[in-house]
């Protein structure tokens, strides 16, 4: 996956349950991002982190939480407060905030509420 | 913040014809504009990018043009092939200290054999 790994590939969540999506990169990138993709729509930013132990809300952060305890890892938790979590979730990383080399994406996690 | 609009949402062309996808952005301070290709169920992959100090960039059958005055940029694919069929996303980097990409809504390109 080009140095950025997302797991699991498919995830099923019951109503009222929290689930955590994993994102790990071995590219030594400083910045990491979480995007949500719905059918026929673009990528919407959930959270991003430019440095360890710091992260910022994106456009649709409600119902989600993240942590950045290690440079390599940026897990996303989808909480029960997220009322419509079924979507394709993409993690990305960049060396410098994306200005010189763009983003590298993981292969995604497809989350379905059952 | 940045707002990126992309047109058309769907585009069908005959194999061998050209395809053009257009995007506009709102933040005049944006200075980096990548294009991504996403095949069904897969991750987006960077195919070409352009910075605000140039007006055009080419890579084989793919080219991107940028008009800073009008705040729009376009992707041009020539001699299209069936394997070009995918969703294409434009993006612009936001200005300021917290830089992140804002994506367009995507264009589903179908190349008909």
């Amino acid at each position: 996956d080009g140095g950025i790994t997302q797991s699991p590939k498919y995830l099923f969540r019951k109503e009222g349950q929290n689930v955590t999506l994993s994102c790990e990169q071995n590219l030594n990138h400083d910045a990491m991002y979480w995007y949500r993709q719905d059918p026929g729509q673009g990528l919407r930013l959930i959270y991003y982190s430019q440095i360890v132990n710091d992260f910022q809300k994106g456009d649709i952060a409600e119902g989600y939480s993240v942590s950045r305890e290690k440079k390599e890892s940026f897990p996303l938790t989808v909480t029960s407060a997220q009322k419509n979590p079924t979507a394709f979730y993409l993690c990305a990383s960049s060396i410098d905030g994306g200005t010189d080399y763009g983003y590298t994406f993981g292969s995604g996690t497809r989350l379905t509420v059952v | 913040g940045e707002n990126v609009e992309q047109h058309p949402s769907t585009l069908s062309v005959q194999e061998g014809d050209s395809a053009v996808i257009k995007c506009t952005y709102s933040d005049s301070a944006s200075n980096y504009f990548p294009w991504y290709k996403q095949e069904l169920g897969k991750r987006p992959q960077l195919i070409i990018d352009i910075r605000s100090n140039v007006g055009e960039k080419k890579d084989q059958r793919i080219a991107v043009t940028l008009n800073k005055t009008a705040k729009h940029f376009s992707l041009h694919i020539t001699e299209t092939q069936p394997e070009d069929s995918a969703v294409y996303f434009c993006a612009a980097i936001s200005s300021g200290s917290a830089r992140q990409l804002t994506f367009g809504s995507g264009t589903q390109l179908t190349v008909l054999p």
Side-chain angles (χ1 to χ4, degrees):
Chain A
D1 285 335
I4 183 165
T5 302
Q6 288 186 243
S7 62
K9 188 170 183 177
Y10 299 96
L11 186 58
F12 298 91
R13 193 194 92 167
K14 294 181 180 179
E15 295 282 351
Q17 193 177 47
N18 292 357
V19 291
T20 297
L21 284 60
S22 171
C23 179
E24 303 275 334
Q25 54 99 359
N26 60 5
L27 301 167
N28 200 32
H29 285 178
D30 288 317
M32 297 186 74
Y33 312 83
W34 275 105
Y35 285 89
R36 169 179 171 142
Q37 186 174 30
D38 292 284
Q41 297 191 29
L43 286 73
R44 293 184 290 168
L45 182 65
I46 305 172
Y47 269 98
Y48 65 99
S49 169
Q50 295 185 305
I51 195 169
V52 175
N53 292 323
D54 185 54
F55 49 83
Q56 305 296 328
K57 293 182 179 179
D59 300 320
I60 55 165
E62 186 175 350
Y64 300 97
S65 66
V66 294
S67 63
R68 187 84 187 276
E69 298 176 0
K70 299 186 298 182
K71 187 175 185 178
E72 303 80 19
S73 179
F74 191 41
L76 173 74
T77 296
V78 184
T79 74
S80 57
Q82 172 49 243
K83 298 306 178 188
N84 185 23
T86 295
F88 188 49
Y89 291 86
L90 285 160
C91 179
S93 68
S94 67
I95 293 176
D96 63 346
T99 55
D100 285 331
Y101 300 100
Y103 289 9
T104 299
F105 282 90
S107 56
T109 293
R110 190 166 299 279
L111 174 63
T112 304
V113 173
V114 295
Chain B
E2 177 68 276
N3 183 46
V4 177
E5 295 191 357
Q6 183 172 347
H7 301 280
S9 57
T10 60
L11 179 60
S12 293
V13 299
Q14 289 294 137
E15 183 176 357
D17 288 349
S18 295
V20 181
I21 302 170
K22 299 181 179 180
C23 289
T24 61
Y25 61 98
S26 61
D27 185 351
S28 57
S30 291
N31 61 3
Y32 176 68
F33 307 92
W35 285 88
Y36 288 84
K37 175 183 179 181
Q38 186 179 29
E39 297 177 2
L40 188 63
K42 297 191 176 180
R43 60 178 173 153
Q45 294 199 306
L46 180 69
I47 56 172
I48 195 167
D49 55 16
I50 191 167
R51 290 172 178 79
S52 58
N53 58 347
V54 298
E56 182 175 0
K57 182 177 179 180
K58 289 187 70 173
D59 183 3
Q60 298 183 337
R61 297 187 296 109
I62 294 173
V64 56
T65 59
L66 172 65
N67 183 328
K68 286 193 297 181
T69 303
K71 291 190 286 186
H72 69 70
F73 56 112
S74 299
L75 177 71
H76 304 254
I77 305 174
T78 59
E79 301 173 19
T80 53
Q81 301 168 3
E83 52 264 39
D84 293 329
S85 295
V87 178
Y88 291 82
F89 292 98
C90 63
I93 200 90
S94 60
S95 60
S97 60
R99 300 174 68 82
Q100 67 269 2
L101 287 175
T102 298
F103 287 84
S105 55
T107 296
Q108 172 67 62
L109 174 64
T110 302
V111 180
L112 304 169

